[in-house]
Amino acid sequence: MDATDASLRARFDALWARTVGTPGAATWRALDAGYGAADRHYHGWPHVAALLTGHDSVRAHPDFADVDGNAIDLAIAFHDAVYDTARADNEARSADLLRAEAGPASGDARVRAAIAMIHATAAHGPSADPATRLLLDLDLAVLGAPRAVYAAYAAAIRREYAAVPEAAWRLGRAQILDRFLARPRLYQTDLFHDRLEAAARANLAAEAARLRAGPTE
């Protein structure tokens, strides 16, 4: 385990103790079976770490003063724990994993809030809950990243779907991007909208255009 992994593990153990009240070793192993898998080219531990870092960077912002940061971190830790590219119920299964691992604590308000947030990542639709809006924006922050970072993200997603034939991938991925671009807003919080909306739309449009242009070789 390198220093980054050790830091993430220590952070998770502390979070689990605060929110569930039991040792986190067995739950970490359950998470690592997913996030640590060799086929997790994007939806692995670095993705979890990036969302936690992103959350840390805005945690003190006045817009988020009333949200439960621990519930958001718990949702971040589990939101992609189950990620099977051949299935459409990964978010529900990830939420179920949190519920199972939390045991009796799964009925606590904070854990229930995290479970609801994980379910919300399935559609990334509008939410009336401030914590959910922040979580969803953190998850989509990569869309507004600098062009090189976005390109690396898109390439990693393609590797995760390596089993999908190229023509089908180009068509399906472009349709997903189009649905995002058709939304009035990509980001639900004003802070993320102001910081990332324009860049995200440019990134999505450029990728969609490349996909429709076909292979370059």
Side-chain angles (χ1 to χ4, degrees), residues 5-196:
D5 292 338
S7 176
L8 191 59
R9 169 67 188 275
R11 178 168 180 163
F12 175 78
D13 284 347
L15 172 68
W16 195 248
R18 289 196 305 273
T19 56
V20 176
T22 60
T27 300
W28 175 268
R29 289 194 295 272
L31 290 173
D32 192 50
Y35 289 125
D39 60 352
R40 295 295 191 100
H41 301 287
Y42 176 73
H43 294 94
W45 283 122
H47 174 55
V48 173
L51 265 63
L52 290 171
T53 299
H55 186 203
D56 290 345
S57 73
V58 301
R59 197 182 293 265
H61 194 279
D63 286 359
F64 310 126
D66 296 328
V67 303
D68 185 339
N70 285 316
I72 292 173
D73 282 354
L74 195 59
I76 288 171
F78 279 84
H79 79 291
D80 285 324
V82 179
Y83 194 81
D84 182 343
T85 59
R87 299 183 62 130
D89 61 349
N90 292 314
E91 295 82 6
R93 294 168 71 203
S94 296
D96 287 346
L97 179 63
L98 171 54
R99 185 180 293 107
E101 291 294 327
S106 62
D108 293 353
R110 177 173 286 159
V111 179
R112 286 189 286 108
I115 288 170
M117 281 187 260
I118 295 167
H119 279 288
T121 64
H124 268 275
S127 175
D129 175 57
T132 300
R133 290 198 295 268
L134 175 54
L135 172 71
L136 296 178
D137 282 1
L138 289 165
D139 199 24
L140 294 184
V142 67
L143 302 184
R147 186 60 58 89
V149 176
Y150 180 90
Y153 146 76
I157 294 293
R158 179 64 180 111
R159 289 196 296 276
E160 288 186 336
Y161 284 84
V164 179
E166 183 66 14
W169 167 258
R170 287 177 175 275
L171 176 62
R173 175 73 175 173
Q175 290 174 340
I176 291 171
L177 301 180
D178 287 345
R179 288 197 290 272
F180 273 106
L181 286 167
R183 296 183 176 192
R185 287 175 64 127
L186 294 171
Y187 297 102
Q188 299 187 43
T189 66
D190 289 339
L191 179 66
F192 280 75
H193 178 270
D194 293 346
R195 288 181 178 179
L196 299 176

